[in-house]
Amino acid sequence: MRRLATAPNLAIATLWADMLTQAGFDTTVQRAFASSIAGEIPPDQSCPEIWVMDDERLDAARNLLDQLRDQPSRRWACASCHEVIDGPFEQCWNCGANMPAT
Ligand SMILES: [Zn+2]
């Protein structure tokens, strides 16, 4: 098992892990609940991490993640809860509603 990336927050970590899983990579999110003990550990160690179970697929997973990160960011407002969503998300992280069709 190898560490692939550190995500800035759990919503993004979960999004990346879901995308990698859908692409056939066996991934896991670590330290997902570390924010509850933030303050007891350095901030740069409290972010969630994406780990790839299969060491030999780390490079392929990293390539895919780079592509995900390169997507142009979008900004849209959730129709259900009016949360403003930034980034390559197609689902509201607040309530889970899908991005409205454009
Ligand atoms: Zn919403």
Side-chain angles (χ1 to χ4, degrees):
M1 190 163 100
R2 301 282 299 275
R3 186 175 67 180
L4 173 64
T6 301
N9 61 54
L10 183 57
I12 291 176
T14 304
L15 180 91
W16 288 349
D18 283 351
M19 287 179 163
L20 288 161
T21 299
Q22 285 172 19
F25 294 95
D26 201 358
T27 59
T28 180
V29 177
Q30 300 287 320
R31 285 190 188 140
F33 303 104
S35 59
S36 62
I37 54 169
E40 297 177 21
I41 53 176
D44 65 345
Q45 291 182 21
S46 63
C47 290
E49 296 174 337
I50 316 294
W51 288 68
V52 176
M53 305 302 282
D54 187 345
D55 292 10
E56 295 179 357
R57 302 193 70 192
L58 182 67
D59 286 343
R62 183 168 287 145
N63 286 341
L64 178 63
L65 186 60
D66 285 345
Q67 290 173 24
L68 297 177
R69 286 164 147 172
D70 279 347
Q71 286 178 358
S73 60
R74 287 174 290 206
R75 173 177 265 254
W76 53 280
C78 176
S80 298
C81 71
H82 307 293
E83 181 82 16
V84 175
I85 313 297
D86 273 313
F89 303 100
E90 293 184 354
Q91 260 194 323
C92 174
W93 60 60
N94 189 44
C95 72
N98 287 320
M99 182 173 69
T102 51

